[in-house]
Amino acid sequence: MRMNAVPVDITDPRAAAYTVPLEDFDVSKAGLFQADAQGPFFERLRHEDPVHYCRQSSGGPYWSITRYRDIRQIDSDHQNFSSDSTLGGVTLHDRSDDFRYPSFISMDEPTHRSQRMSVAPMFTPPSLAQLQDTISSRAAAILDQLPRNETFNWVQHVSVELTAQMLATLLGFPFEERRRLIRWSNVATANLNSGLVSSEEERHAILQECADCFIGLWNERVNAEPAPDLISMLAHSPATRNMDRRTFLGNILLLIVGGNDTTRNSISGGLLALNRFPDQYRKLRENPALVDDMVPEIIRWQTPVSYMRRTALRDVEFNGKTIREGDKVLMWYASGNRDEEMFEQADDFIIDRRNARNHLSFGFGIHRCLGLRLAEMQLRMLWQEIMKRFPLIEVVGEPKRILSSLLRGYEELPVRIAA
Ligand code: HEM
């Protein structure tokens, strides 16, 4: 059982963060994020030990990089810091060969670049422009069916539904079976203590259904004319045409998880943020054109991916510390996005924040998110449709957050829309 199973009992996160000795800090504990208690711990690290070594965690020893400018520096330095899955990939916990699914996010150059290029045409502005009307009309249809005057879970009714629809379209996946994508995404990312899967063997078995299903779609597309969907693009590109089963599954999961959890949690996070900062909600009601500015601020404030890991390829001197070859390095976007040196009143949600676009949520460097324009477009379209319909969507209870230090997200967000 992983150490993350130990619940983090933090009734006063600030007091806890400033009492625990720095050498005992382990900010990778999933419970810390589930309790939304990570903020003061990162604040202290940024101020007192911005390149911090954790000697022991459920994923072994690791470095935490917590300042904005340091994260950008490490993320840009792929010569010294690798993403390769054989060294451990981009998450803290190493996986044994049996449970490793390489994808281009966990590859170094030149393979990374050639595989990324295979699907990049889907995310260019002209290609996305063609999706714009579909996104708007789907968002409108979802919103028009929402219950009035009763409490419902925004995550399931809106965030999950809209992202599932979008993902099915991108992948050319049977639309009526789209909830299977959500299940595979949830299984792929579930913490082993979350109750969804209890062992790597179980996860592996479920993900084989995903592999089999997509191999069926692949076989149909590989012999057909190239089509504008991600499976067809992978099937027709020389760089990805001959992937083995594991890499095929890895890349499918990358696209499913990349396009799903992140956007979903930004959709929920945005509504929560507006409710936590009612003056900003008021400002938006008075000037709905601010949706365009608000979108990057939602993504900064939420930071749907808390960190990405790299592995040092050689000894590196970094800000007075020696990071040794083979060491794990976690770039905490969740902290960099709250760095007061970069963002004034960094914990606050300010819909017209001047420099929100400089956030780190999409990473930086060669692995910078491929789907970022799509994510922004989905949020923009959704919020435009929301503002046409509902002056106020009220969050009426505490959100239930997922148990993960990698993905910052929500299982439940109870809301109510007046009749
Ligand atoms: C708000 C929504 C999103 C956030 C916060 C997000 C975040 C990220 C982050 C942090 C990375 C890694 C960056 C790095 O290592 O430097 C990444 C990579 C990636 N994302 Fe996203 N993402 C989002 C939406 C999407 C969408 C909609 C897709 C489309 C399917 C997508 C596809 C990808 C892919 C394919 C990569 C790998 C890029 C590479 O390794 O070259 N993402 N994303």
Side-chain angles (χ1 to χ4, degrees):
M1 191 187 254
R2 289 182 176 170
M3 272 168 54
N4 277 338
V6 181
V8 180
D9 174 24
I10 301 165
T11 39
D12 185 348
R14 181 158 295 280
Y18 283 88
T19 346
V20 176
L22 273 176
E23 60 268 26
D24 294 340
F25 263 42
D26 173 11
V27 280
S28 75
K29 286 193 166 123
L32 203 59
F33 289 82
Q34 192 175 38
D36 197 27
Q38 71 287 350
F41 289 84
F42 284 124
E43 178 190 89
R44 185 161 173 218
L45 285 179
R46 283 194 304 274
H47 291 158
E48 297 179 28
D49 196 13
V51 181
H52 174 265
Y53 191 65
C54 171
R55 287 165 302 163
Q56 202 192 356
S57 81
S58 61
Y62 67 93
W63 292 94
S64 282
I65 311 295
T66 49
R67 277 191 187 157
Y68 180 91
R69 59 166 187 270
D70 292 347
I71 293 169
R72 275 178 67 145
Q73 199 174 329
I74 301 260
D75 217 349
S76 318
D77 186 1
H78 59 275
Q79 319 290 353
N80 284 320
F81 296 100
S82 166
S83 299
D84 197 292
S85 65
T86 58
L87 300 176
V90 291
T91 55
L92 173 63
H93 295 95
D94 294 335
R95 286 171 180 271
S96 69
D97 286 352
D98 288 347
F99 303 122
R100 229 166 7 89
Y101 316 109
S103 67
F104 62 88
I105 200 171
S106 56
M107 290 176 190
D108 292 337
E109 304 304 38
T111 331
H112 157 259
R113 187 180 151 76
S114 57
Q115 294 203 1
R116 179 179 164 115
M117 286 302 146
S118 305
V119 287
M122 184 61 132
F123 303 98
T124 57
S127 170
L128 292 180
Q130 292 181 1
L131 288 174
Q132 197 158 317
D133 291 347
T134 312
I135 299 178
S136 276
S137 55
R138 287 192 181 152
I142 290 171
L143 297 173
D144 286 339
Q145 284 168 19
L146 292 177
R148 305 296 171 91
N149 241 350
E150 68 180 67
T151 301
F152 64 91
N153 181 5
W154 179 260
V155 175
Q156 283 303 328
H157 277 73
V158 180
S159 314
V160 170
E161 187 51 34
L162 185 65
T163 41
Q165 292 190 8
M166 203 55 241
L167 203 54
T169 306
L170 291 179
L171 291 162
F173 192 82
F175 199 66
E176 51 304 338
E177 291 178 34
R178 61 190 180 276
R179 287 272 162 164
R180 297 178 80 190
L181 298 172
I182 303 300
R183 172 160 161 73
W184 293 326
S185 177
N186 291 345
V187 166
T189 56
N191 184 300
L192 290 185
N193 303 302
S194 65
L196 191 60
V197 281
S198 53
S199 67
E200 287 298 346
E201 287 76 11
E202 189 187 349
R203 189 198 315 269
H204 184 72
I206 297 171
L207 293 181
Q208 296 320 303
E209 290 167 22
C210 172
D212 291 339
C213 174
F214 274 95
I215 285 171
L217 295 175
W218 170 282
N219 288 338
E220 285 167 17
R221 314 255 159 104
V222 75
N223 296 317
E225 285 298 306
D229 69 76
L230 292 169
I231 304 302
S232 180
M233 286 176 181
L234 288 170
H236 287 275
S237 161
T240 43
R241 197 184 290 148
N242 298 312
M243 288 182 285
D244 58 35
R245 184 180 165 100
R246 268 176 198 286
T247 313
F248 176 69
L249 177 57
N251 275 326
I252 295 296
L253 290 175
L254 167 62
L255 295 167
I256 294 179
V257 174
N260 180 41
D261 294 46
T262 51
T263 316
R264 174 209 297 186
N265 291 323
S266 307
I267 293 174
S268 305
L271 184 57
L272 178 64
L274 282 169
N275 273 263
R276 291 267 160 95
F277 295 87
D279 56 322
Q280 300 298 310
Y281 210 165
R282 214 171 300 122
K283 206 194 289 180
L284 181 66
R285 273 195 297 277
E286 282 162 15
N287 183 5
L290 285 174
V291 161
D292 288 4
D293 289 333
M294 177 176 75
V295 165
E297 175 66 352
I298 290 178
I299 298 171
R300 182 196 72 88
W301 191 82
Q302 178 58 29
T303 316
V305 179
S306 301
Y307 75 87
M308 282 278 110
R309 166 192 163 180
R310 300 291 185 258
T311 308
L313 289 173
R314 51 191 65 83
D315 291 0
V316 178
E317 293 297 322
F318 193 77
N319 284 357
K321 302 278 175 89
T322 307
I323 299 176
R324 300 268 173 220
E325 178 181 344
D327 282 357
K328 300 176 180 188
V329 180
L330 269 50
M331 307 173 291
W332 287 102
Y333 304 136
S335 173
N337 277 343
R338 299 294 173 99
D339 186 339
E340 309 76 3
E341 272 189 28
M342 180 64 193
F343 301 106
E344 277 172 34
Q345 296 171 260
D347 285 335
D348 293 354
F349 178 71
I350 301 173
I351 62 172
D352 47 0
R353 183 184 286 281
R354 177 184 51 81
N355 63 350
R357 281 186 190 281
N358 295 333
H359 67 70
L360 294 170
S361 302
F362 292 128
F364 202 74
I366 57 170
H367 288 279
R368 187 166 159 81
C369 178
L370 188 55
L372 63 92
R373 287 200 198 93
L374 172 62
E376 288 175 342
M377 192 166 92
Q378 287 191 73
L379 287 171
R380 227 173 20 245
M381 300 290 122
L382 175 67
W383 274 101
Q384 281 168 2
E385 295 302 321
I386 289 176
M387 294 315 290
K388 281 185 207 162
R389 287 169 178 74
F390 312 123
L392 183 67
I393 304 172
E394 217 184 330
V395 172
V396 291
E398 279 305 304
K400 188 170 172 215
R401 292 166 202 275
I402 57 172
L403 180 67
S404 170
S405 56
L406 174 65
L407 298 174
R408 279 196 73 214
Y410 308 90
E411 266 167 41
E412 285 172 26
L413 184 65
V415 303
R416 194 168 160 281
I417 304 174

